[in-house]
Amino acid sequence: MQKLGEFKLPNFFNYPPYFTLQPVRETREKQIQLWKELIIDFCRTQKIFVIALEVDFPLFSNAAIERSLSHEAREAFLSALVSDGRAEWMDKGHRKCLVLWHRIQDWADLIVNFVKENGLEDSVMTVEEIRSGVESRGTELHGIDRTVLMRALKLLEHKGKLAIFKGTSADDEGVKFSL
């Protein structure tokens, strides 16, 4: 089995036709499903949140079989993730895509569990502490993309579970939990 770093690639990754958008609808649907799962799994294990179409992305080429996805195929696979609510285009030109290997609600649930597990129910933390602090090490929150984190925090704020307060800079933004 081929690997990309520590990530084990599926068998279809060595099958040249999967690097070309398939013309038959049934085959293309299966191809898209396989690529969606691969992109989500890879991004989750590698903690990748943003894919830029114009930049080399490890999954989009396979040197062993001398194949690369076309721009059209890359956009098709990412657009399918967008349709499923598992990604969002970050620009109108569809050049950058925010991959949501957890949906925003799921990230919010992870934050609530993190707060409860660490006894932080009535505590204050900075946004940066949640992303990179000692408490978050070893959790999925460690290294979370700031945009994703802020959207999950705003969802929890809307539900009355916390308050976000601004500091003098983005690094100073804080969160007061009230679970």
Side-chain angles (χ1 to χ4, degrees), residues 37-174:
E37 291 168 9
L38 176 60
I39 292 167
I40 290 291
D41 288 346
F42 183 76
C43 288
R44 180 185 303 115
T45 61
Q46 305 302 308
K47 290 204 170 217
I48 294 170
F49 289 88
V50 177
I51 298 175
L53 286 183
E54 311 301 327
V55 176
D56 283 340
F57 186 68
L59 289 181
F60 292 163
S61 62
N62 183 341
I65 61 170
E66 299 179 355
R67 290 287 191 267
S68 291
L69 291 175
S70 67
H71 187 278
E72 178 189 11
R74 295 172 188 207
E75 190 170 349
F77 300 149
L78 293 174
S79 290
L81 285 172
V82 170
S83 295
D84 287 354
R86 301 307 302 266
E88 296 173 359
W89 291 111
M90 298 174 74
D91 61 333
K92 289 183 183 186
H94 292 194
R95 290 184 305 274
K96 281 178 120 180
C97 192
L98 180 68
V99 179
L100 299 169
W101 21 284
H102 289 305
R103 290 179 172 87
I104 298 298
Q105 177 59 57
D106 297 332
W107 281 113
D109 293 343
L110 283 169
I111 293 167
V112 168
N113 290 338
F114 166 77
V115 168
K116 288 179 178 176
E117 287 170 8
N118 288 286
L120 302 168
E121 287 91 338
D122 291 310
S123 299
V124 174
M125 291 183 83
T126 66
V127 171
E128 285 307 307
E129 283 177 314
I130 297 170
R131 292 182 68 222
S132 57
V134 175
E135 293 89 352
S136 71
R137 282 193 195 137
T139 72
E140 286 190 87
L141 294 175
H142 197 78
I144 185 174
D145 179 82
R146 185 175 180 79
T147 303
V148 173
L149 176 58
M150 291 308 296
R151 294 210 17 230
L153 291 172
K154 285 177 181 160
L155 178 64
L156 290 171
E157 183 177 45
H158 182 72
K159 292 181 174 185
K161 296 183 184 243
L162 58 83
I164 301 171
F165 52 90
K166 303 278 185 210
T168 54
S169 70
D171 293 344
D172 290 356
E173 284 182 301

